[in-house]
Amino acid sequence: MKEKPLQKSNGEKDLGVFIDRKLNFKKQIQDVQSKASKTLGIVKRNFKNLKTKHMTTIYKTMVRSKLEYANCIWYPKFEGDKDCLERVQRRATKLITHLKDKTYCERLKELNLPTLDYRRRRGDMIQTYKIVKGIDRVEAGFLKPNKNIQTRGNSKKLKKERFKTNERRNFFSSRIVNNWNKLQETTVSAKNLNKFKAELEISNTLGNKFNYKNWSNH
């Protein structure tokens, strides 16, 4: 660049997201988990004997926000990385004294806290809606409509591109297609974002929001 050789780098940080050369976002996920855990420790030491709703609000504001910042970009694809993040919320739910002896799923239901895995899928659908509706402007062709629309499903189905690498499989434009195409017509045709969120909740297309695999008994 300008006659100066560029140094090789294993990754660079941009707008708070560390992008590594393998595009698996391992370091980003580790950093997010570490920051959220430290913040949870601060919450545990400084906020005691609070009412459930107050503790939940503090968790959402101070901890969960760190676990979800820009995760449409660094969405974890490995089960170990997903578990690493979910473990933070699992510990957070145990801060509520009267829920300690209950399973993770039971704690989530009582606190009305969806799993982080569900929240990521939901966030993907919300972002897709914004792009399809033109609320968020992106490069033309980023999401391609499926011209071979069948009678089943919704009228705004997207085309799934072929990819040659596993990295591409986890890109936003690839991973959201299956879930989006499963949504009902009333959901994708919602008049505004709030209505879309409500329809998404009613449809239950994304699965049980309180159940996270083998965490049900922990």
Side-chain angles (χ1 to χ4, degrees):
M1 184 176 289
K2 294 184 179 180
E3 300 181 355
K4 292 183 179 181
L6 298 177
Q7 293 182 347
K8 290 184 178 180
S9 174
N10 288 325
E12 293 293 332
K13 197 169 189 177
D14 185 29
L15 298 177
V17 178
F18 186 87
I19 304 174
D20 59 88
R21 65 184 181 86
K22 292 184 179 181
L23 295 178
N24 59 25
F25 296 98
K26 276 282 187 181
K27 186 178 186 308
Q28 171 67 17
I29 292 170
Q30 291 171 357
D31 288 349
V32 166
Q33 190 271 346
S34 177
K35 290 178 181 177
S37 292
K38 289 178 181 178
T39 303
L40 183 61
I42 294 173
V43 171
K44 184 178 180 179
R45 290 191 298 271
N46 293 277
F47 297 95
K48 296 181 179 180
N49 301 319
L50 287 178
K51 291 183 179 180
T52 300
K53 65 176 182 179
H54 295 153
M55 183 61 80
T56 303
T57 300
I58 291 172
Y59 163 71
K60 290 179 180 178
T61 305
M62 299 181 64
V63 181
R64 193 174 73 179
S65 58
K66 288 181 171 59
L67 293 168
E68 296 185 334
Y69 172 74
N71 61 10
C72 280
I73 302 298
W74 56 265
Y75 195 104
K77 66 177 180 178
F78 298 116
E79 293 302 318
D81 292 335
K82 294 178 182 179
D83 292 344
C84 176
L85 297 171
E86 198 74 37
R87 197 172 291 115
V88 180
Q89 178 163 280
R90 178 187 172 227
R91 293 202 308 270
T93 58
K94 284 193 171 184
L95 294 182
I96 311 297
T97 306
H98 70 277
L99 298 179
K100 280 186 176 182
D101 296 330
K102 297 193 175 185
T103 67
Y104 181 45
C105 290
E106 290 171 340
R107 297 196 298 271
L108 292 179
K109 288 180 181 179
E110 289 215 23
L111 298 172
N112 194 28
L113 284 176
T115 65
L116 297 178
D117 189 52
Y118 175 89
R119 290 270 302 175
R120 286 190 294 270
R121 296 196 302 273
R122 175 179 178 271
D124 272 357
M125 294 300 95
I126 291 173
Q127 186 59 57
T128 304
Y129 175 85
K130 289 180 179 179
I131 294 173
V132 171
K133 289 291 186 177
I135 299 173
D136 285 354
R137 296 183 180 181
V138 298
E139 181 181 351
F142 179 66
L143 297 179
K144 298 180 180 179
N146 190 344
K147 297 180 180 179
N148 299 319
I149 298 178
Q150 300 177 353
T151 54
R152 295 181 63 182
N154 66 67
S155 61
K156 293 180 172 56
K157 285 186 176 181
L158 299 173
K159 182 180 180 181
K160 192 164 188 177
E161 297 295 319
R162 293 182 178 181
F163 38 78
K164 297 181 180 179
T165 64
N166 288 329
E167 287 79 7
R168 181 68 181 175
R169 186 191 302 272
N170 201 50
F171 278 17
F172 178 87
S173 57
S174 298
R175 71 169 184 266
I176 57 92
V177 175
N178 288 342
N179 281 337
W180 176 264
N181 289 349
K182 291 177 183 177
L183 297 182
Q184 299 175 4
E185 180 66 25
T186 53
T187 306
V188 300
S189 299
K191 294 182 179 180
N192 55 59
L193 185 57
N194 287 333
K195 182 65 175 176
F196 174 80
K197 292 178 181 178
E199 289 289 340
L200 192 62
E201 189 78 12
I202 295 171
S203 67
N204 198 32
T205 310
L206 301 179
N208 187 338
K209 65 181 182 179
F210 300 120
N211 186 28
Y212 185 71
K213 302 178 298 183
N214 61 324
W215 291 89
S216 59
N217 295 320
H218 296 275

